[in-house]
Amino acid sequence: MSQADLRLSKNERMNGQLRFSAEIDKMTSVYRRTMLVDGSRRENDAEHSWHIAVMALLFSEYAKEPADIGRVVKMCVVHDLVEIIAGDTFAYDSTANRDKAQREQKAADILFGMLPEDQGRALRALWEEFDAAETPDAKYAACMDRLQPFLHNTLTEGHTWKEGNTDRAAVEKRMAILKEWMPEVYGWMSENMDHAIEMGWLRP
Amino acid sequence: MSQADLRLSKNERMNGQLRFSAEIDKMTSVYRRTMLVDGSRRENDAEHSWHIAVMALLFSEYAKEPADIGRVVKMCVVHDLVEIIAGDTFAYDSTANRDKAQREQKAADILFGMLPEDQGRALRALWEEFDAAETPDAKYAACMDRLQPFLHNTLTEGHTWKEGNTDRAAVEKRMAILKEWMPEVYGWMSENMDHAIEMGWLRP
């Protein structure tokens, strides 16, 4: 079944909220490149979004400026919603990243358009703030969005890096926001990159 | 691999945070009774936690008292963490629910004990507040924790209800917090229970 089978209430506003709630369950079938820590399968967007939301409760002490963790956690849980329609764009795929912004804006029109206008606007604003990565909250959320798959890669013998024949420069570019915003965490990452190169998981 | 393979940093505090982050990925293999909306498989705890966190952004206008949504979202993402160790206890399994509290307290000692003490204490406090369901934030979070599987049940021909040969009284008991705290949403639920009985998905 799908959200189309939803039995409606008399409240049109609530119907939009229920429809949207059913629709976003599709996040469980948007698969990412990253493997689960146990290596059993790829993770999906729902799992990834949850994981970075919990991590956001833990690492703020390393960020250059304080963040409002409640807002960051909200950002984390909505930051990939548009991928229900636009699909996941692999971070190291430069071709797909060219039209990513356009695809995602169109997806946002459809998806957030399912909600009562005020709520659609609020969720979209959170997602756009995340995507712009300019405010302290968004920068910190973006760091969690990079740190989590990095952690998974280190624990799955560089699965995604090997698969993409990735080199250190590409990972450094992707992780640049941590170098800027969370230098101590980046120090740990840099040592892991050295190790990954030694192990042949990452090209020098 | 697992969190045991983590390459450590020089910062013992950060090591605890990284270990915990890797450990909680096990939420992706704690399966619940509830099916995904598309009926393809059961959902896991990571997916469920994410889903109720997003729903918490949408339904607060129906709650009897205002909630601090940032805090609620934090509660949602941590509320099932102890199940990594204690396992998921099916809401309608009265035998397993008898020693649930004791099993979960022991699990919390181990799991939150992995974190720096201040953070372990903070996450445990959030979980305990959720579990007690006494504050407005916890009541609202508990409502989302009940509404989401109810919604899934209505969209998967009462899958969990049929499987458990569940009757209306059991569902009403489980959903009592919505009757108290979100009466308008409960009205929609009650109509869905009527429909589920008509369809033979739920016993009268």
Side-chain angles (χ1 to χ4, degrees), chain A residues 99-196:
Chain A
D99 67 340
K100 181 175 181 259
Q102 203 188 356
R103 275 186 292 120
E104 294 195 342
Q105 283 294 337
K106 275 189 199 163
D109 292 342
I110 299 167
L111 186 69
F112 297 124
M114 292 178 68
L115 282 171
E117 211 220 321
D118 57 320
Q119 293 191 323
R121 216 182 316 118
L123 263 62
R124 187 173 189 146
L126 271 174
W127 166 63
E128 287 179 342
E129 181 178 339
F130 170 86
D131 226 39
E134 281 164 6
T135 64
D137 291 351
K139 277 181 198 272
Y140 177 53
C143 286
M144 297 301 102
D145 186 46
R146 310 293 189 277
L147 176 59
Q148 183 258 354
F150 185 95
L151 176 65
H152 283 227
N153 258 326
T154 68
L155 293 171
T156 52
E157 303 187 339
H159 184 276
T160 313
W161 296 327
K162 282 194 290 193
E163 198 176 55
N165 195 27
T166 312
D167 64 14
R168 185 180 184 127
V171 179
E172 282 179 353
K173 191 177 164 198
R174 178 79 183 151
M175 303 300 153
I177 192 156
L178 281 124
K179 190 173 185 178
E180 175 208 341
W181 204 248
M182 305 183 77
E184 189 173 355
V185 177
Y186 188 80
W188 172 80
M189 295 174 113
S190 188
E191 285 169 22
N192 271 275
M193 286 186 238
D194 294 340
H195 177 70

Side-chain angles (χ1 to χ4, degrees), chain A residues 1-11 13-15 17-18 20-22 24-25 27-29 31 35-39 41 43-47 49-51 53-55 57-62 69-71 73-74 76-78 81 84 115-116 118-119 123 126 147-148 151-152 154-157 184-185 188 191-192 195 198 201, chain B residues 1-11 13-15 17-18 20-22 24-25 27-29 31 35-39 41 43-47 49-51 53-55 57-62 69-71 73-74 76-78 81 84 115-116 118-119 123 126 147-148 151-152 154-157 184-185 188 191-192 195 198 201:
Chain A
M1 292 181 111
S2 77
Q3 53 90 0
D5 299 294
L6 189 73
R7 288 180 68 77
L8 301 177
S9 77
K10 284 164 210 83
N11 180 338
R13 196 173 153 87
M14 196 196 292
N15 289 338
Q17 292 156 335
L18 289 166
F20 182 87
S21 299
I24 62 171
D25 200 48
M27 286 277 278
T28 60
S29 53
Y31 280 90
M35 297 295 275
L36 296 179
V37 169
D38 68 10
R41 60 168 171 81
E43 66 173 0
N44 63 50
D45 266 356
E47 295 164 335
S49 300
W50 163 79
H51 203 167
V54 181
M55 287 175 72
L57 304 180
L58 303 177
F59 291 92
S60 64
E61 68 199 70
Y62 307 104
I69 306 304
R71 285 196 80 237
V73 172
K74 288 182 195 177
C76 288
V77 297
V78 304
L81 280 176
I84 290 172
L115 282 171
D118 57 320
Q119 293 191 323
L123 263 62
L126 271 174
L147 176 59
Q148 183 258 354
L151 176 65
H152 283 227
T154 68
L155 293 171
T156 52
E157 303 187 339
E184 189 173 355
V185 177
W188 172 80
E191 285 169 22
N192 271 275
H195 177 70
E198 272 169 41
W201 303 342
Chain B
M1 293 180 109
S2 76
Q3 53 89 0
D5 299 293
L6 189 73
R7 288 181 67 77
L8 301 177
S9 78
K10 284 161 209 86
N11 180 337
R13 195 174 153 87
M14 196 196 293
N15 289 338
Q17 293 155 334
L18 289 166
F20 181 88
S21 299
I24 62 171
D25 200 48
M27 286 277 278
T28 59
S29 53
Y31 280 89
M35 298 295 274
L36 297 179
V37 169
D38 67 10
R41 60 168 171 82
E43 67 172 0
N44 65 48
D45 266 356
E47 295 164 336
S49 301
W50 164 79
H51 203 167
V54 181
M55 288 174 70
L57 304 180
L58 304 178
F59 290 93
S60 64
E61 68 200 70
Y62 306 104
I69 305 303
R71 285 195 80 237
V73 172
K74 289 182 194 176
C76 289
V77 297
V78 305
L81 281 176
I84 289 172
L115 282 173
D118 57 320
Q119 292 191 324
L123 263 62
L126 271 175
L147 176 60
Q148 183 258 354
L151 175 66
H152 283 227
T154 67
L155 293 172
T156 54
E157 303 186 339
E184 188 173 355
V185 177
W188 171 80
E191 285 169 22
N192 271 275
H195 177 70
E198 272 168 43
W201 303 342

